[in-house]
Every structure is written in structure tokens, then in C-alpha cells.
Amino acid sequence: MDMAVGSEYTIDELARAADTTVRSVRVYHERGLLPSPDVRGRIGYYGSDHLNRLQTISRLLSRGMKLNGIRELLEAWDRGDGLAEVLGVNDQPVSEPTTVAAPGSPRPQRRQAPPELPEYVQQALAASGDPHEAYRVTNPRCGDLTTRLVDAGISARDAFELVERLRADCNQIADQYATQLFYFLAGQTYEQSGRTPKDRAKLESDLAIARLIATRATSELIDQAFARHSELPPS
């Protein structure tokens, strides 16, 4: 169905246009994923923005994202957060993919020293309370790791510094590969499109899907790498 700017749909028409069900539309309302319609009389009318949103939700669901994660993503977009902030990557101008390095280009030089501890970690270490609690708010799984390291007998500062070095290396991996991965998985299609609001909405969902795929693949690779170092020694 070719929708024009200013198109209006009843809930049944919207569900048909988005290739979904009326029940699903109502569930998305209840879960906070879809804005309320414009109610006139006793009938709710939906616009092209609602249709774009429904199509985005369907694409994200088809790639394995859960409704809670999709809601958080959409809320961030609605707040006007930048794509980099929403997706957790460096602020790369996806609409100008000509700046993306081609495969095989020289990679950035490896950092020679780990970054300083974040300010909130330094403050937590200087305070009388448990420094892991402050760390866990921002990095819950990293907070669990630092706690286990301290339980193993190393100082809190050494634990935080070790995890921050790990973070620095993870940031470097993202710096090396995120731009190319996101360009090939999302930006390239957008570059070849008419860059309409509908194309922009598709770019946003494609970037979210790309992040999901890349994160899962990277997690698998890191797990394999750590597994190689966790084998028991010969008896």
C-alpha cells in the first residue's frame, strides 16, 4: 500500500497496511510502543507515523528483539537521542557513508596505555560506601566482575583498572569495525534511497538490527576466545 503524507487509518486499516493484527496494535499501545491515535468522536485515527512505527516494530521483532528492548529503543528515538547514543556506538555520520573506510584499510593504532578510571569510579573509591554499587548502576555485569575479582583477593582499584582496560579494548574493537559493519548492514541501503522520512525510519531500525547481530556475533567470538584460556591443565 503506497501511503501518502497525511494518510489516515482506522485501527483495522492500520493493521492491514502494516500486515499485522488489530490485537497486536492494541498490545503495542498497552506496552508503550505505539502512540495513541487522534480520537474524533468515538473513532481513533492513525497516521503515516503510526504505520512507520508499526513497520519498524515488525522488523525488530523478526530479528529477535523483545518488546521491552524495542520500547526502550523507540523511547530514545522519541526523546531525540542521537543514533550513536541510542545504539551505543561512536557518532558516525551514517548519512555520509563516503567517509567509511573500505575493507582492508589501515586500522587505528592500538592505545599504549589504558584510560583513567571514570570520575564516578574514582569518587566511589574515595567514598566510605561500597564502590561496586556505583559501578554496577552503569555497568551491571562489569560490576559483578569487579566484585568477584575483589572476592578473589585483589584490591578494588586494581579490579576496576583491569575491567577498564577490558573496556578500552572493547571500545577499540568497536572503533575498528562498527563503521564498516553498520554501513554494509544499514547505511549502504540508505545511501541509495531517496532519504525520505520513511527511509530514515528504516535506517534507524536497520541500525538497531545491525547492532543486535554484531553484538551477538562479537559475544560469541569473545566467548570462544575466553574458552581457549579457561581449559584445565593436563592432569
Side-chain angles (χ1 to χ4, degrees):
M1 179 176 181
D2 184 19
M3 64 178 182
V5 177
S7 296
E8 287 189 337
Y9 310 88
T10 64
I11 190 170
D12 296 281
E13 292 169 343
L14 179 69
R16 285 197 298 272
D19 194 24
T20 187
T21 65
V22 170
R23 175 177 173 78
S24 293
V25 174
R26 290 186 172 132
V27 168
Y28 300 154
H29 275 308
E30 294 169 0
R31 299 292 292 273
L33 281 78
L34 196 66
S36 298
D38 179 19
V39 179
R40 299 197 294 272
R42 300 180 62 182
I43 300 176
Y45 292 95
Y46 300 81
S48 57
D49 288 343
H50 291 92
L51 181 56
N52 284 334
R53 178 65 63 93
L54 272 178
Q55 292 170 334
T56 296
I57 293 169
S58 295
R59 283 193 293 269
L60 296 176
L61 286 172
S62 71
R63 296 304 181 99
M65 288 193 72
K66 305 299 184 184
L67 287 181
N68 285 342
I70 295 174
R71 185 185 67 247
E72 293 176 1
L73 188 66
L74 296 176
E75 287 174 349
W77 291 342
D78 291 340
R79 289 195 302 269
D81 292 351
L83 283 176
E85 186 174 351
V86 173
L87 298 170
V89 298
N90 286 341
D91 192 6
Q92 298 290 344
V94 180
S95 60
E96 299 178 12
T98 54
T99 62
V100 176
S105 297
R107 295 174 179 172
Q109 293 297 314
R110 186 176 183 83
R111 294 185 181 91
Q112 296 300 313
E116 292 185 2
L117 291 177
E119 181 66 26
Y120 68 91
V121 174
Q122 296 184 41
Q123 293 176 356
L125 285 169
S128 58
D130 181 2
H132 301 284
E133 289 303 318
Y135 201 61
R136 195 174 286 114
V137 170
T138 306
N139 313 285
R141 291 181 178 85
C142 290
D144 293 341
L145 177 57
T146 59
T147 299
R148 294 296 295 270
L149 288 168
V150 170
D151 290 344
I154 72 172
S155 71
R157 177 171 290 277
D158 287 343
F160 287 126
E161 288 179 348
L162 177 57
V163 174
E164 284 302 308
R165 289 202 301 273
L166 177 60
R167 182 212 293 274
D169 284 339
C170 288
N171 284 338
Q172 185 174 354
I173 292 173
D175 290 344
Q176 289 178 354
Y177 297 105
T179 301
Q180 291 185 26
L181 289 173
F182 289 172
Y183 172 59
F184 291 138
L185 293 174
Q188 185 171 233
T189 300
Y190 181 72
E191 181 188 39
Q192 298 167 356
S193 72
R195 306 194 184 188
T196 64
K198 180 179 179 181
D199 294 324
R200 175 70 179 185
K202 184 177 185 302
L203 170 65
E204 291 177 335
S205 64
D206 285 348
L207 279 170
I209 292 167
R211 176 187 172 186
L212 181 68
I213 294 171
T215 299
R216 286 178 173 175
T218 306
S219 177
E220 179 180 73
L221 294 173
I222 291 175
D223 180 66
Q224 292 172 1
F226 273 102
R228 291 193 295 272
H229 292 273
S230 62
E231 297 175 354
L232 290 173
S235 56

